[in-house]
Amino acid sequence: MLSQKQAEEAIVASFNETEQDGNGKEEEEERAEEPQPMFSMKSLLWHGGSVWDAWFSCASNQVAQVLLTLPYSFSQLGMLSGVLLQLFYGFMGSWTAYLISVLYVEYRTRKEKENVSFKNHVIQWFEVLDGLLGPYWKAIGLAFNCTFLLFGSVIQLIACASNIYYINDRLDKRTWTYIFGACCATTVFIPSFHNYRIWSFLGLGMTTYTAWYLTVAALVNGQVEGVAHSAPAKLVLYFTGATNILYTFGGHAVTVEIMHAMWKPQKFKYIYLVATLYVFTLTLPSAAAMYWAFGDQLLTHSNAFSLLPKSRFRDAAVILMLIHQFITFGFACTPLYFVWEKVIGMHDTKSIFLRALARLPVVIPIWFLAIIFPFFGPINSTVGALLVSFTVYIIPSLAHMLTYRKASARQNAAEKPPFFMPSWTAMYVLNAFVVVWVLVVGFGLGGWASMVNFVRQVDTFGLFAKCYQCPKPPVAAPPPQQH
């Protein structure tokens, strides 16, 4: 006769076998969708779910147009603060991306135990918050994430117009915004992050070229005559620059969607950290070299291209950044497309054309906002302070603390503390530090400084500015007076 303990063990073993069978079927279904080992152009360019795909997506999405505004931030912060804050926020961003990945795995593990299938459904961050913490957290996550991604897309459009102007200034920046808004609207045809394989790879190559072009061009050009490095000079400028760097390493608002596109999401853990280490090799040399060469001139030139002499290398960098900004627009917009599809009941539709048609209303407000607020550098800092601070730093840290606040939750956690954390207590301390620091320095001081700077731009250039920070045309000399 079996003892009670042996009976319980038998029940548990039976449940585990059933669960493994269920998960095995789902994994087989997923593998059936994976690219086959034989060579196929479609699988090579279109279907991506490997660790490498996720790394390219993270690295490519993390630094795009912000690469061109970091020298501007250095002119506000000074060289030492610029370097230190990049390192500080880079590692802080990697930590909160890790927290998001842990919460995703926890949510998916719990749901799969309830036999929930995600075969035709893309999990998003607000759904993770809903499943782990309830509807109020879902509403908060949805509001911050969607607003951040909306303005992130706006920034890409502004950046496109700002960049192309340095190749062709026959059209003003506002007209270029109309043109690129139409071009970026074509991203409605890209179904999900599975289909960004070739785009992520190309995007990172383009960013790498641009970063090293900025570095080499600044060093070759040398220091301009009378160069001055007066930063940090004003608190408003200092915290505006700091918040732009907070924004730079807060590009993981699409982490959940990138993870969900992976064949094995559990492998995501440290991908964002490795991507950040690579991004350091792009952002630190380019920003430092540009600030060394041009100094305080960058305070009135938020786009680094504007100070470099026209050449075929600069034109190549501009064109590559334009293509990459199109890709990054798609990265930022795709989660918004998913949310909109779920709202109108089109998320399960298999027709690419029907989904594309349904997604078009998402692009229109983005297009309109880019025309209203064409302020390239200041809008980065404002979005960083008011939206990124909560979306990718404060909310993930608080969510992790609340999800594992009970001993039973910690004991049954799908992911235990990482090897470099001695205990759950240490994780709580680190999470609490992130919350307090970003709330006070990022949202508080950064929000104040960014809004002051943003309002100054509106007062100076006005809304719907036709050509923000464009060089003024030379004033014609008056005709000589005839006596």
Side-chain angles (χ1 to χ4, degrees):
M1 189 174 184
L2 290 172
S3 66
Q4 184 177 352
K5 183 177 180 181
Q6 289 174 321
E8 289 175 356
E9 289 175 352
I11 292 170
V12 171
S14 174
F15 173 78
N16 287 341
E17 285 174 8
T18 305
E19 184 182 350
Q20 286 168 5
D21 289 342
N23 290 343
K25 287 177 184 177
E26 189 164 336
E27 189 173 338
E28 282 177 13
E29 289 174 354
E30 288 184 0
R31 286 185 179 279
E33 298 174 2
E34 289 187 48
Q36 299 302 315
M38 66 174 58
F39 179 80
S40 164
M41 185 60 69
K42 184 179 178 181
S43 65
L44 178 67
L45 303 180
W46 190 246
H47 292 295
S50 69
V51 170
W52 281 105
D53 288 309
W55 183 82
F56 277 115
S57 293
C58 288
S60 177
N61 184 54
Q62 190 168 337
V63 57
Q65 102 299 330
V66 78
L67 186 71
L68 307 175
T69 64
L70 284 174
Y72 167 68
S73 297
F74 269 50
S75 71
Q76 297 168 319
L77 293 163
M79 187 75 78
L80 180 61
S81 290
V83 172
L84 292 178
L85 283 173
Q86 276 204 43
L87 295 171
F88 177 69
Y89 282 127
F91 288 119
M92 184 183 286
S94 299
W95 172 251
T96 54
Y98 170 80
L99 297 180
I100 292 171
S101 72
V102 166
L103 294 172
Y104 168 87
V105 171
E106 182 68 37
Y107 169 77
R108 185 160 182 172
T109 301
R110 291 183 187 184
K111 287 298 180 183
E112 286 178 347
K113 285 181 179 178
E114 299 170 7
N115 294 321
V116 177
S117 174
F118 297 106
K119 185 179 178 183
N120 295 316
H121 182 92
V122 177
I123 299 172
Q124 293 188 265
W125 177 227
F126 68 89
E127 293 169 319
V128 173
L129 291 173
D130 184 26
L132 297 177
L133 297 173
Y136 292 110
W137 279 87
K138 173 186 177 181
I140 293 169
L142 187 61
F144 274 105
N145 217 44
C146 287
T147 310
F148 166 46
L149 291 170
L150 178 76
F151 278 97
S153 304
V154 168
I155 289 168
Q156 300 310 319
L157 276 189
I158 297 170
C160 285
S162 178
N163 289 343
I164 192 64
Y165 184 78
Y166 298 114
I167 290 182
N168 184 340
D169 59 3
R170 289 191 292 275
L171 297 177
D172 59 74
K173 291 182 182 179
R174 187 167 66 193
T175 303
W176 281 119
T177 304
Y178 292 137
I179 294 169
F180 278 100
C183 294
C184 289
T186 59
T187 58
V188 298
F189 289 101
I190 303 176
S192 74
F193 284 99
H194 273 303
N195 313 115
Y196 272 97
R197 162 172 281 182
I198 189 63
W199 296 115
S200 298
F201 176 77
L202 291 175
L204 190 57
M206 295 165 186
T207 312
T208 301
Y209 172 86
T210 304
W212 285 106
Y213 159 74
L214 292 176
T215 305
V216 173
L219 295 175
V220 170
N221 188 74
Q223 290 187 313
V224 295
E225 187 178 351
V227 65
H229 301 87
S230 59
K234 297 179 181 178
L235 282 177
V236 169
L237 294 178
Y238 186 87
F239 286 108
T240 301
T243 312
N244 188 42
I245 294 180
L246 176 85
Y247 169 81
T248 302
F249 294 99
H252 42 287
V254 295
T255 298
V256 170
E257 288 83 0
I258 291 173
M259 284 187 71
H260 192 81
M262 294 178 68
W263 306 124
K264 295 182 179 179
Q266 293 83 356
K267 292 186 175 183
F268 183 87
K269 289 183 188 177
Y270 305 115
I271 286 176
Y272 197 88
L273 173 61
V274 179
T276 299
L277 294 176
Y278 180 78
V279 167
F280 282 151
T281 69
L282 308 181
T283 59
L284 287 169
S286 59
M290 285 294 295
Y291 181 54
W292 169 82
F294 297 100
D296 291 352
Q297 285 189 23
L298 286 159
L299 287 169
T300 54
H301 295 79
S302 54
N303 189 326
F305 282 144
S306 63
L307 288 173
L308 292 168
K310 184 175 177 62
S311 69
R312 64 179 184 276
F313 296 108
R314 193 189 77 166
D315 289 351
V318 170
I319 292 168
L320 291 177
M321 282 303 290
L322 285 171
I323 300 170
H324 187 233
Q325 278 150 0
F326 164 81
I327 297 166
T328 309
F329 181 93
F331 266 110
C333 252
T334 298
L336 293 176
Y337 295 152
F338 291 156
V339 172
W340 179 244
E341 287 170 0
K342 291 171 185 177
V343 168
I344 63 174
M346 293 285 287
H347 189 57
D348 293 334
T349 304
K350 293 183 178 180
S351 169
I352 291 177
F353 292 100
L354 279 177
R355 289 179 73 182
L357 193 64
R359 290 172 169 189
L360 277 176
V362 177
V363 180
I364 295 170
I366 294 170
W367 205 350
F368 188 60
L369 287 168
I371 295 165
I372 298 176
F373 304 112
F375 312 127
F376 187 54
I379 198 172
N380 282 4
S381 300
T382 306
V383 170
L386 303 183
L387 299 172
V388 174
S389 56
F390 281 93
T391 304
V392 296
Y393 292 100
I394 294 174
I395 291 176
S397 300
L398 285 175
H400 190 274
M401 294 168 74
L402 292 174
T403 299
Y404 298 109
R405 65 189 182 277
K406 295 180 180 179
S408 57
R410 295 192 294 272
Q411 186 176 355
N412 298 317
E415 294 285 344
K416 302 300 181 185
F419 68 91
F420 53 85
M421 277 287 161
S423 64
W424 285 98
T425 304
M427 290 193 74
Y428 267 68
V429 170
L430 182 54
N431 288 342
F433 170 78
V434 171
V435 171
V436 172
W437 177 275
V438 176
L439 193 62
V440 174
V441 178
F443 177 72
L445 295 171
W448 160 73
S450 299
M451 285 306 297
V452 168
N453 192 33
F454 189 80
V455 169
R456 285 177 183 169
Q457 302 297 316
V458 174
D459 290 343
T460 304
F461 296 95
L463 300 176
F464 297 96
K466 191 173 184 179
C467 208
Y468 172 68
Q469 286 190 345
C470 297
K472 294 180 181 179
V475 179
Q481 293 183 351
Q482 296 180 356
H483 297 285

